[in-house]
């Protein structure tokens, strides 16, 4: 202090300037409009810009977009009112990186209290920020695989595992890892873990959460699943990719997995418990020399999963053996009592010659992703049958074929159907495409364009199970269908239910307005038929006439010789 006092005024200024240049902090002086008049050396160092690039500019050249706009509004409000402003602000370096400044911006006023300048002094705290981020990563991520660790997995699953959705946690252990560590050392053990993490990731989708929760244990959250067999097939997929040999020092190494599965909500009511269940199940696989490499927490789930797998295998075999065949039910003109169509209904004829109903397998085919292949083959079989009838001199009526809503997601559907019909060589007017109205909810525009294509090709269109699903009148009009099939549930108690009678009457009126014919399904008695006729339905189908019959039976009972 004493030394300082020795300097005369000009020297003091000189000294101040030297000091300002030397300090490690950022210093910027602007005029009232924010135009930069002065910077010290540190500003160049911290921001990467040279003095000549900065002077005359505004501090917004460092704006990063990372600090909210509100920060800047408050900043200006504060300093323009004569008060200093403190805040950590994220700025952008000339090279694009971010630097963080703990900023103090003070207004400098003249004798009259008019603000003349703003002085911004700041500390560069970028390193602290980065340390903090690294710390965050260490706390939440596994440094080897970069996957979430146990802690962050738990916090994530607590949010996701809730509500009515069925979810599951798989705890997956790598079995021979300690052997790798003992034989080759930990560096190689680590490589193997990284490789396995990558392989597991490759079969997951973005909804799954993969974490490494212990040295040799991964966990996967499956936030929503439809069937236990779906979970099992995911486990199988993981086992398969991980099971490929890993080459270590020229040796082939095979890693086996054990998996424990916990299912929400049956095994546990929350995320943490569910993880514990999965780990208990895992311990069980490891302790017993289990036949399967995976185990569900509850025995019942094990049994169910086995059963579903068994069923799926069975259906798959049916598909491979081409066991799906058409049966035909007559469709009758109510006004004149003549046959006016057939509906082809799928049956499975198994190796024992038993006939199995579609309710037993259609849903499964859809879930297994086989429905498209099976239905296209089915269409071919129906067309072949029609061809045979024509060739043997029978008069054929239009045959309705049910198409799964899932197929209406395929923009080439119409072309595929047209191709089959052309190859077999029958007129498209002999095929009615039946669709259930629930499908209209999916990709509506696509469904519409497929139907239009089919219609333009000459096919008839029928809307099936009308009244049960999502009945949208506006779409009904746009679909341009020929037939509206009133769902059986309205016919069942038609005689005693005034409500059902009113519904049928309304559907008939709608159909008439849209120039469609109505088909009443499930007519079993003469009384139902008489009432249906009175309500104005055009066409009927049901056990009153016949059940679905084999191709031979339907031909001999219903198809006449063409004249
Ligand atoms: P659906 O298209 O509504 O077919 C009518 C169902 O009602 C048939 O059952 C038929 O046997 C039955 N039925 C007809 N008249 C009567 C009656 O008077 N009383 C009673 N109680 N039932 C009657 P089915 O053949 O078991 O077919 C069930 C469902 O399986 C079909 O309902 C259809 O949704 C589906 N399905 C059948 N074949 C195919 C196919 O090739 N593809 C697709 N996606 N679904 C199919
Ligand atoms: Ca149908
Ligand atoms: Ca129906």
């Amino acid at each position: 202090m004493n030394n300082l006092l020795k300097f005369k005024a000009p020297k003091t200024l000189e000294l101040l300037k030297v000091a300002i240049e030397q300090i490690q902090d950022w210093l910027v002086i602007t005029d009232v409009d924010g135009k930069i008049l002065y910077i010290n050396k540190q500003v160049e160092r911290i921001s990467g810009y040279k003095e000549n690039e900065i002077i005359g500019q505004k501090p917004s050249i460092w704006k990063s977009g990372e600090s909210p706009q509100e920060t800047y509004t408050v900043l200006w409000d504060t300093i323009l009112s004569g008060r200093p402003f403190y805040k950590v602000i994220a700025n952008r370096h000339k090279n694009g990186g971010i630097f963080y400044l703990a900023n103090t911006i003070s207004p400098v006023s003249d004798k009259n209290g008019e603000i003349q300048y703003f002085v911004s002094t700041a500390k560069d705290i970028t390193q602290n920020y980065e340390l903090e981020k690294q710390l965050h990563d260490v706390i939440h991520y596994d440094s080897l695989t970069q996957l979430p660790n146990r802690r962050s997995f738990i916090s994530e699953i607590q949010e996701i595992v809730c509500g009515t959705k069925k979810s599951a946690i798989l705890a997956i252990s790598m079995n021979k890892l300690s052997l790798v560590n003992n034989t080759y050392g930990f560096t190689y053990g680590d490589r193997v873990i990284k490789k396995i993490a990558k392989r597991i990731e490759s079969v997951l989708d973005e909804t799954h959460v993969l974490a490494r929760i212990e040295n040799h244990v991964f966990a996967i959250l499956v936030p929503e699943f439809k069937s236990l067999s779906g979970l099992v097939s995911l486990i199988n997929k993981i086992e398969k990719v991980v099971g490929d040999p890993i080459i270590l020092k020229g040796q082939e190494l095979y890693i086996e997995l054990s998996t424990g599965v916990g299912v929400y909500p049956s095994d546990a009511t929350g995320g943490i418990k569910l993880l514990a269940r999965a780990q208990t199940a895992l311990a069980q696989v490891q302790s017993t020399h289990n036949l399967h490499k995976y185990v569900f927490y509850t025995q019942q789930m094990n049994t169910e999963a086995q059963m579903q797998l068994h069923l799926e295998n069975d259906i798959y075999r049916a598909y491979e053996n081409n066991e799906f065949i058409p049966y035909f039910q007559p469709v009758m003109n109510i006004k004149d009592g003549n046959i006016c169509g057939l509906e082809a209904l799928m049956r499975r004829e198994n190796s024992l010659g038993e006939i199995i109903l579609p309710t037993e397998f259609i849903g499964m085919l859809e879930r297994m992703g086989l429905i498209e292949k099976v239905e296209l083959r089915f269409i071919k079989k129906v067309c072949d049958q029609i061809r045979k009838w024509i060739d043997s001199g029978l008069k054929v009526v239009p045959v309705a074929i049910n198409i799964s809503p899932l197929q209406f997601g395929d923009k080439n559907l119409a072309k595929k159907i047209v191709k089959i019909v052309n190859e077999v060589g029958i007129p498209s007017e002999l095929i009615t495409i039946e669709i259930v109205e629930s499908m209209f909810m999916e990709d509506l525009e696509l469904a519409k364009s497929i139907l239009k294509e089919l219609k333009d090709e000459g096919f008839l269109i029928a809307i099936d199970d009308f009244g049960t699903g999502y009945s949208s009148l506006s779409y009904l009009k746009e679909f341009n269908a020929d037939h509206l099939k009133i769902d059986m549930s309205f016919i069942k108690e038609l005689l005693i239910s005034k409500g059902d009678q009113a519904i049928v009457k309304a559907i008939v009126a709608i159909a008439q307005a849209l120039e469609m014919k109505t088909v009443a399904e499930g007519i079993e008695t003469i009384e139902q038929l008489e009432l249906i006729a009175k309500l104005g339905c055009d066409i009927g189908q049901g056990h009153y006439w016949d059940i679905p019959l084999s191709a031979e039976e339907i031909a001999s009972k219903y198809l006449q010789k063409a004249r």
Side-chain angles (χ1 to χ4, degrees):
M1 186 58 92
N2 278 342
N3 276 344
L4 248 179
L5 287 174
K6 282 189 206 151
F7 287 107
K8 295 202 179 86
K11 285 243 167 167
T12 311
L13 248 170
E14 198 59 24
L15 179 65
L16 268 175
K17 202 168 165 219
V18 173
I20 283 170
E21 288 302 331
Q22 288 308 311
I23 54 166
Q24 291 305 303
D25 291 353
W26 161 287
L27 189 126
V28 172
I29 301 173
T30 73
D31 65 13
V32 265
D33 297 325
K35 208 155 81 190
I36 298 169
L37 305 173
Y38 174 83
I39 61 159
N40 71 351
K41 278 270 174 283
Q42 301 307 331
V43 174
E44 290 187 326
R45 181 181 62 82
I46 297 170
S47 77
Y49 288 91
K50 289 275 163 253
E51 186 177 14
N52 60 6
E53 296 173 286
I54 299 173
I55 301 297
Q57 298 291 328
K58 294 197 168 172
S60 56
I61 58 166
W62 298 302
K63 198 167 169 174
S64 66
E66 301 246 326
S67 295
Q69 190 50 44
E70 195 194 320
T71 302
Y72 301 99
T73 319
V74 175
L75 185 162
W76 280 107
D77 283 355
T78 311
I79 56 178
L80 284 174
S81 69
R83 286 170 294 134
F85 175 82
Y86 313 94
K87 183 97 186 169
V88 172
I89 296 180
N91 297 285
R92 194 163 302 281
H93 191 277
K94 192 177 178 187
N95 69 13
I98 298 286
F99 61 95
Y100 294 91
L101 293 180
N103 232 323
T104 304
I105 303 170
S106 317
V108 178
S109 308
D110 62 12
K111 279 185 231 128
N112 306 322
E114 294 272 328
I115 296 173
Q116 300 293 322
Y117 308 103
F118 295 111
V119 178
S120 147
T121 56
K123 272 201 184 329
D124 176 10
I125 55 161
T126 310
Q127 265 194 348
N128 302 12
Y129 249 71
E130 272 161 9
L131 278 176
E132 217 170 278
K133 191 172 171 297
Q134 276 171 20
L135 195 64
H136 175 272
D137 287 355
V138 169
I139 293 173
H140 295 276
Y141 291 94
D142 163 36
S143 58
L144 184 63
T145 58
Q146 310 306 321
L147 292 172
N149 58 16
R150 185 184 187 88
R151 175 196 292 257
S152 69
F153 186 67
I154 285 178
S155 70
E156 199 145 333
I157 58 182
Q158 273 177 295
E159 283 169 32
I160 299 177
V161 177
C162 62
T164 53
K165 281 185 304 195
K166 272 205 268 180
S167 41
I169 290 179
L170 317 179
I172 302 175
S173 146
M174 298 169 272
N175 287 338
K176 285 193 206 144
L177 201 65
S178 47
L179 198 71
V180 177
N181 284 333
N182 293 339
T183 320
Y184 301 95
F186 284 97
T187 324
Y188 284 95
D190 285 356
R191 272 193 216 165
V192 171
I193 295 174
K194 269 169 125 169
K195 189 147 219 146
I196 292 178
K198 284 263 169 314
R199 288 185 180 181
I200 296 179
E201 253 180 332
S202 73
V203 295
L204 300 180
D205 66 34
E206 63 278 5
T207 66
H208 297 125
V209 182
L210 172 64
R212 181 166 167 237
I213 58 169
E214 278 173 40
N215 185 39
H216 60 286
V217 181
F218 291 103
I220 299 172
L221 170 70
V222 182
E224 201 168 359
F225 69 91
K226 291 203 183 78
S227 67
L228 289 179
S229 57
L231 280 181
V232 173
S233 74
L234 178 65
I235 296 170
N236 287 337
K237 256 197 238 164
I238 293 170
E239 272 174 4
K240 190 156 179 293
V241 284
V242 173
D244 284 344
I246 294 175
I247 310 292
L248 217 56
K249 289 192 164 171
Q251 299 259 27
E252 283 194 352
L253 182 82
Y254 293 88
I255 293 289
E256 281 178 9
L257 301 179
S258 301
T259 305
V261 189
V263 172
Y264 171 89
S266 39
D267 293 348
T269 49
I272 297 179
K273 270 218 176 113
L274 190 60
L275 178 58
R277 298 293 190 243
Q279 287 192 278
T280 307
L282 175 60
Q284 207 185 319
V285 203
Q286 288 173 317
S287 67
T288 57
H289 270 284
N290 214 290
L291 190 61
H292 303 289
K293 294 194 188 110
Y294 62 87
V295 154
F296 284 83
Y297 177 71
T298 46
Q299 190 47 45
Q300 188 201 339
M301 298 270 174
N302 281 319
T303 320
E304 269 178 44
Q306 286 314 309
M307 256 168 54
Q308 273 190 27
L309 275 181
H310 178 77
L311 282 177
E312 284 184 7
N313 284 338
D314 186 45
I315 293 284
Y316 195 79
R317 229 168 317 142
Y319 159 71
E320 284 192 320
N321 296 342
N322 213 349
E323 291 178 3
F324 301 103
I325 53 164
Y327 264 42
F328 299 89
Q329 189 176 30
V331 177
M332 312 300 287
N333 184 328
I334 291 179
K335 308 248 153 76
D336 61 18
N338 289 330
I339 185 167
C340 63
L342 296 173
E343 178 170 6
L345 291 155
M346 204 185 283
R347 298 290 181 264
R348 174 185 172 195
E349 184 173 15
N350 69 13
S351 49
L352 304 172
E354 294 163 336
I355 299 293
I356 300 159
L357 293 175
T359 38
E360 301 283 312
F361 57 77
I362 293 281
M364 189 91 93
L365 286 174
E366 287 178 335
R367 277 197 300 280
M368 291 171 69
L370 286 175
I371 192 72
E372 178 189 347
K373 291 198 182 104
V374 170
E375 264 178 0
L376 291 176
R377 268 194 209 164
F378 183 78
I379 296 174
K380 168 87 166 60
K381 278 189 189 171
V382 172
C383 291
D384 283 341
Q385 185 59 62
I386 295 175
R387 184 73 251 163
K388 264 195 216 157
W389 284 329
I390 294 174
D391 291 347
S392 60
L394 294 176
K395 197 173 145 213
V396 181
V397 285
V399 180
I401 302 179
N402 296 280
I403 307 283
S404 163
L406 291 184
Q407 290 223 60
F408 280 80
D410 172 9
K411 60 180 188 324
N412 293 320
L413 177 63
K415 286 181 198 72
K416 288 177 184 168
I417 297 177
V418 170
K419 186 162 174 261
I420 297 173
V421 171
N422 286 345
E423 273 171 10
V424 179
I426 55 166
S428 50
E429 289 76 19
L430 281 182
I431 303 289
T432 306
I433 300 294
E434 262 186 38
I435 48 175
V436 275
E437 49 160 353
S438 61
M439 60 165 269
F440 300 163
M441 284 180 291
E442 301 285 321
D443 189 345
L444 226 108
E445 289 307 311
L446 183 56
K448 222 161 64 182
S449 75
I450 293 172
L451 287 180
K452 181 168 185 317
E453 232 179 306
L454 287 167
K455 182 106 186 152
D456 290 347
E457 286 285 343
F459 294 91
L460 297 166
I461 309 288
I463 292 174
D464 205 357
D465 300 350
F466 188 75
T468 56
Y470 176 81
S471 319
S472 162
L473 293 181
S474 55
Y475 290 121
L476 195 56
K477 183 160 172 262
E478 293 182 61
F479 281 123
N480 240 320
D482 304 275
H483 294 159
L484 196 55
K485 299 187 81 168
I486 305 171
D487 192 69
M488 242 182 290
S489 57
F490 302 112
I491 312 298
K492 217 167 158 211
E493 288 164 8
L494 190 69
L495 295 174
I496 50 170
S497 164
K498 287 266 180 288
D500 284 350
Q501 288 172 22
I503 288 171
V504 171
K505 224 190 259 177
I507 295 177
V508 170
I510 291 165
Q512 278 169 354
L514 297 174
E515 296 177 344
M516 300 161 84
K517 290 219 154 89
T518 40
V519 184
E521 293 190 294
I523 299 180
E524 296 185 349
T525 65
I526 179 86
E527 291 80 13
Q528 282 172 334
L529 174 61
E530 280 166 2
L531 184 49
I532 275 294
K534 213 175 92 191
L535 292 172
C537 276
D538 310 286
I539 299 167
Q541 181 180 348
H543 295 173
Y544 170 73
W545 293 279
D546 236 320
I547 58 171
L549 301 170
S550 70
E552 295 74 41
E553 291 172 304
I554 199 86
S556 69
K557 277 179 90 169
Y558 288 92
L559 300 184
Q560 295 156 5
K561 286 267 169 216
R563 263 167 285 157

